[in-house]
């Protein structure tokens, strides 16, 4: 899904990464040929908004993984990226995993960003027989489509006051069971989920 090489600005850290689909809506981040001459352990993570080298990392992103170091020989590691559609995670961030600032240069202290690389994902659209089509507003389904896919299909829907799952599913030409599958976190018991006004519903199976 993605592959590249990482080198820190000063050349003290190098490794290769591969993002691989596991086939169950998760991905693995495979790191190989990791070498480091910095005197602290180093970790890596995936983040949506890139920090800058030298920043202090406050959020450890997705698939956080300790790589190790300093190294005497090349090392490898693998992390699980538990996200059904990870292409929004466009930044691979390498950072210091020093335990404290004691005896460590400030630029190598805990959570200091050491390298930032852009990831260019190539995640194919999953085959699906779920193809919602907006049939237009109607009683109990009077909300609005708030986003569409590249092909123009409805991607998300904002619930209006008085909407019901049955009417919303009918508006988009899908069984109510499919609407509930697309939105597994709706409140209510099994088969009796209800909608709150202003809730955003997912209509795109590739966004799960």
């Amino acid at each position: 899904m993605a592959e590249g090489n990482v080198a820190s600005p000063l050349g003290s850290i190098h490794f290769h990464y591969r993002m691989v689909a596991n086939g169950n809506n998760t991905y693995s981040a495979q790191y190989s040929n990791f070498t480091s001459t910095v005197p602290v352990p180093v970790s890596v993570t995936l983040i949506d908004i890139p920090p800058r080298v030298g920043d202090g990392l406050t959020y450890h992103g997705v698939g956080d993984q300790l790589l190790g170091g300093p190294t005497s020989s090349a090392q490898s590691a693998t992390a699980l990226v538990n996200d059904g559609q990870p292409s929004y995670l466009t930044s691979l961030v390498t950072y210091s995993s020093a335990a404290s600032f004691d005896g460590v240069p400030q630029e190598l202290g805990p959570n200091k960003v050491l390298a930032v690389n852009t990831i260019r994902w190539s995640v194919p659209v999953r085959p699906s027989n779920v193809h919602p089509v907006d049939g237009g507003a109607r009683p109990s389904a009077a909300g609005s489509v708030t986003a569409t896919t590249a092909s123009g299909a409805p991607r998300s829907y904002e619930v209006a006051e008085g909407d019901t799952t049955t009417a919303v599913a009918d508006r988009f030409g899908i069984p109510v069971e499919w609407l509930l599958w697309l939105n597994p976190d709706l409140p209510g018991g099994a088969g009796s989920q209800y909608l709150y006004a202003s809730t955003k519903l997912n209509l795109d199976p590739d966004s799960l």
Side-chain angles (χ1 to χ4, degrees), residues 35-152:
T35 59
S36 172
T37 59
V38 297
V40 297
V42 170
S43 291
V44 66
T45 191
L46 297 164
I47 292 180
D48 53 345
I49 300 175
R52 294 176 300 178
V53 171
D55 283 354
L57 197 63
T58 57
Y59 166 60
H60 282 194
V62 178
D64 192 43
Q65 176 66 41
L66 176 67
L67 296 181
T71 61
S72 57
S73 60
Q75 300 177 7
S76 299
T78 299
L80 178 66
V81 181
N82 192 11
D83 195 302
Q85 178 51 271
S87 58
Y88 72 98
L89 299 167
T90 57
S91 299
L92 184 66
V93 178
T94 307
Y95 67 95
S96 166
S97 287
S100 72
F101 279 99
D102 294 343
V104 175
Q106 183 175 352
E107 61 270 27
L108 296 178
N111 296 310
K112 284 291 185 177
V113 175
L114 305 176
V116 180
N117 290 78
T118 299
I119 297 184
R120 293 175 175 83
W121 292 85
S122 178
V123 181
V125 176
R126 290 176 294 169
S128 177
N129 62 348
V130 181
H131 303 290
V133 175
D134 188 6
R138 61 197 64 191
S140 300
S144 56
V145 173
T146 55
T148 59
T149 66
S151 65

Side-chain angles (χ1 to χ4, degrees), residues 142-203:
S144 56
V145 173
T146 55
T148 59
T149 66
S151 65
R155 181 191 295 275
S156 62
Y157 169 82
E158 184 171 330
V159 174
E161 188 71 36
D163 278 5
T164 66
T165 55
T166 301
V168 171
D170 183 66
R171 170 174 171 170
F172 292 101
I174 59 175
V176 67
E177 292 81 9
W178 292 8
L179 181 68
L180 300 181
W181 170 71
L182 289 166
N183 297 275
D185 297 326
L186 288 177
S192 60
Q193 285 83 353
Y194 47 89
L195 303 177
Y196 287 118
S198 300
T199 298
K200 293 285 181 63
L201 297 182
N202 173 48
L203 297 170

